Amino acid sequence: MDSPTALHQLGRFIFLFQHTEAALTELLTLLADADDEFIRILVNELEYTKRVKTTGVLFARFLDIRRGRYDEEKKVFRELMSELLKLGERRNEMVHSKYWMWTNVEGASGLIRENSVLRASKGVRESTEEELLPEAFELDCGRISMALQSLEKFRLKIIDWVHPNEPA
């Protein structure tokens, strides 16, 4: 099989990000302990940032009502939510950019990503440009994969906390 192209890697990044959003919805559903469809209807109306923040607050509340000492779990979960917010910013950069095919001086093909934002306080438009060879996506995809693994670990912990005496 040929090596993946930068365009393929961009699609992979977006695909993995969708799994992250689905994993957050699954956590929210577990934490709410209500009708699954009811929760999915509500969550569907939350933009990604609000979904992450809501998951963080619900997780802390979920642990607080268990009356145990869960300080370390809360800390790790807050760090995970912070990473998910950063990944969301990166996703927005990727999705809302303009792209051009590009070949570097060594003959490797990739993408040039251009994004611009308005800085109203300065009265200017700032533009950024990034050269993306296929391997440039590995860091972002790796970060999403790690976040997905962490979300799964917390999903399993939540299930154990809700059903502590039931065999797996």
Side-chain angles (χ1 to χ4, degrees), residues 6-26:
L7 198 54
H8 175 266
Q9 292 288 69
L10 176 61
R12 180 174 161 235
F13 173 83
I14 293 168
F15 177 80
L16 285 171
F17 194 86
Q18 288 176 341
H19 284 282
T20 304
E21 290 181 298
L24 280 169
T25 299
E26 180 65 25

Side-chain angles (χ1 to χ4, degrees), residues 116-133:
S116 63
V117 292
L118 300 178
R119 302 284 184 211
S121 61
K122 296 179 182 178
V124 298
R125 179 182 68 87
E126 290 180 359
S127 183
T128 58
E129 190 174 284
E130 182 179 14
E131 297 172 348
L132 298 165
L133 292 172

